[in-house]
Structures are given as C-alpha cells and as structure tokens.
Amino acid sequence: MAGGITQTEYWNGEVGARWARNQAVLDAVFAPLTEALFDRAALRSGESVLDIGCGSGATSLEAARRVGPEGAVTGADISAPLLAVARSRAEAETGAAPIRFVEADVERADLGAYGQALSRFGVMFFPDSARAFANIRRMLPPGGRLTFLCWRALPENLWVTVPREAVLPLLPEIPPPPQPDTPGPFRFAAADPLVALLRGAGFGTVACNAVDRDVVLGRGATDAEAAQAAAHVALNLGPTAHLVREAEPDLRARAEAAVTAALTPHAEGGTVRLRAACWLVQAG
C-alpha cells in the first residue's frame, strides 16, 4: 500500500476506525449484495461457517441467524476496531448460532474446520492470494464450499466511477493505477485469472457469475440532501476516499462540491442509486 503501510496497519488505523463508526451506513449500501451472497451460499441449519474479513459483523450475524442455535459461526478479521463493533452487535442477538470473533489473518491462521466459508468483499486484500485460498481450502471438508463477492472492473462500478471522475480533475497529479495482483478492491476484476487461482489452490469446481445491483449511496428529504449524503459516503467510505484522505481543506471542500454535483443527476425521490458490479463466486 501507499507509503509501505501494511494491510494490518491500514485496517487498524484511521480507516478501520472510520468504517467502524459508519457500520450502519456501509451495511445499508451493501444490503442488496449481501442478499445475493446469502441466496447463493444457501446456508443450512446446524452448519459451521467461517466469515472471512467479517468487518463489523453484519455477514457473521446473518450467517448465525440462518444456521440457527445448532450451528456455529466464526468471524475473522485483522481490524480490531471493526471487530469491537461486531462483538457488541452480537451481544444483542438471540436465537442465532453462537459467534466467535477472532482477530486473525486468514491467509495464515488455522481457525479450525467449517462446512462453509463466505466473504463479502474480504478476499481481495491478502498479500498472497494463492496461499490464502489454499489455507481456506484446508479448513473445508470434502463437499465444503467457499462463497464470496468481489468487485468486477472499475468502469463497470458506477457507484465508484461517478464520484471518482468528479475528483480526478481537481488533483495536482493523477495517481498511478494499482499494480497487477496487489491487494485492493479491484484485484479480481478479471474472472479467468481468479478461477485459475482458485483451482490452483485446490478447489475442484469454481463458478463465477456476474451480479449487478443498484446500491443506495445516499438518502435525504430532498434530492439535494440525498446527493450530499451520497457524496459523504463516496469521499469517506468508498474506493474514491483515498484520493482525498490527506487533502488540504480547500481541495477537500472543492471535491465535496464536485462529487455532490456529479451525483445530483442520479438522485430521484430523495435517493441516489448507482450500479455496483460484482463477481459472485462459489468454489468447492
């Protein structure tokens, strides 16, 4: 990552704390994609589940509800701030499977054996993807499945490109594109290398299906308020946020105005909706 910071440092620093504070906003944005993930995973009562990159716990909590009190869920993440939120949320659950949250790097950790593993946008950040997927495969029995969501190519994701293209002209220099096969949101934008990677890690069958959903970036009493709310999400929680994270106040203010203006045409009925494009992958 920029400046040589590691993924662990990144997610335990200011970014992890900011995501923890905005847990409810992120869960709302990703709700249609979370639904698609669980429809495909088809968890059954009594199953044991590993949630990879569980973040603030939304997917672990949903898995626990679906497998019920006879099942078990482990949520693993490297971010202590996000795990603190997850544990707090789990305390309020009743009638669901017990959840164990662990601060661990799934690329290396031995977390036990599970009937299923799943992840909502948590598999794109491993330093060594081949090692990580092989380790996940070892934690699944014959017939066990890994189901996850990852982003398709940046141009297909309007929820990112619309605010990003509004910000880029304001920057003193355009940031270089990410290097191939490095940790980041769009690491698995191409399906064929991802399928080959999973098969090389020991998964015999791999299905990689395109999923498109409109996500709600912002709501408000008026379209103008919805655009402002959506700009806040884009510049604080989405992939565009890193472009202005360390910007001077003047540039930050101009970026907020530009993104709000770019999102206003997408506001209707007090809601800003834009397309999100993912791969929904299942490997066994």
Side-chain angles (χ1 to χ4, degrees):
M1 301 196 68
I5 187 172
T6 68
Q7 288 291 326
T8 299
E9 291 168 333
Y10 183 79
W11 290 108
N12 281 283
E14 188 273 336
V15 173
R18 178 159 22 97
W19 277 43
R21 290 193 303 271
N22 289 277
Q23 156 263 311
V25 175
L26 286 164
D27 288 348
V29 170
F30 292 146
L33 302 168
T34 304
E35 181 180 5
L37 173 69
F38 279 96
D39 284 349
R40 185 59 187 272
L43 301 181
R44 297 182 295 271
S45 177
E47 283 192 305
S48 60
V49 180
L50 173 64
D51 184 7
I52 301 157
C54 66
S56 59
T59 44
S60 296
L61 292 166
E62 183 60 27
R65 296 178 193 121
R66 294 190 179 226
V67 301
E70 300 304 314
V73 175
T74 295
D77 205 287
I78 59 173
S79 174
L82 289 170
L83 288 169
V85 174
R87 293 186 180 105
S88 177
R89 297 174 73 185
E91 291 175 358
E93 287 289 307
T94 58
I99 306 176
R100 175 177 67 121
F101 287 110
V102 293
E103 187 175 344
D105 181 355
V106 177
E107 180 180 318
R108 300 170 179 273
D110 182 359
L111 300 175
Y114 301 90
Q116 290 215 47
L118 59 84
S119 182
R120 185 188 71 181
F121 308 121
V123 300
M124 303 94 72
F125 302 97
F126 294 113
D128 186 337
S129 295
R131 177 172 180 166
F133 284 128
N135 194 38
I136 294 165
R137 172 68 266 183
R138 283 192 292 271
M139 290 188 275
L140 296 171
R145 300 189 304 278
L146 166 65
T147 309
F148 66 86
L149 283 167
C150 61
W151 299 113
R152 298 207 316 269
L154 176 61
E156 298 179 82
N157 280 279
L158 297 184
W159 74 283
V160 180
T161 59
V162 171
R164 177 182 171 84
E165 289 171 5
V167 169
L168 288 178
L170 305 177
L171 301 179
E173 58 182 274
I174 303 299
Q179 295 299 308
D181 197 32
T182 56
F186 301 99
R187 184 181 201 164
F188 299 134
D192 289 347
L194 174 58
V195 171
L197 180 66
L198 288 163
R199 287 178 174 157
F203 290 96
T205 60
V206 181
C208 188
N209 301 112
V211 170
D212 293 86
R213 296 288 188 274
D214 285 343
V215 297
V216 175
L217 275 190
R219 298 183 188 274
T222 65
D223 287 353
E225 289 182 4
Q228 290 174 342
H232 174 81
V233 171
L235 291 174
N236 288 277
L237 303 172
T240 304
H242 77 95
L243 298 176
V244 295
R245 184 166 297 129
E246 299 178 2
E248 295 296 328
D250 176 66
L251 175 56
R252 177 81 188 197
R254 287 188 290 126
E256 289 176 357
V259 172
T260 300
L263 291 170
T264 296
H266 301 277
E268 183 177 356
T271 302
V272 173
R273 298 179 187 272
L274 287 166
R275 187 181 67 181
C278 307
W279 295 119
L280 178 52
V281 182
Q282 191 162 69

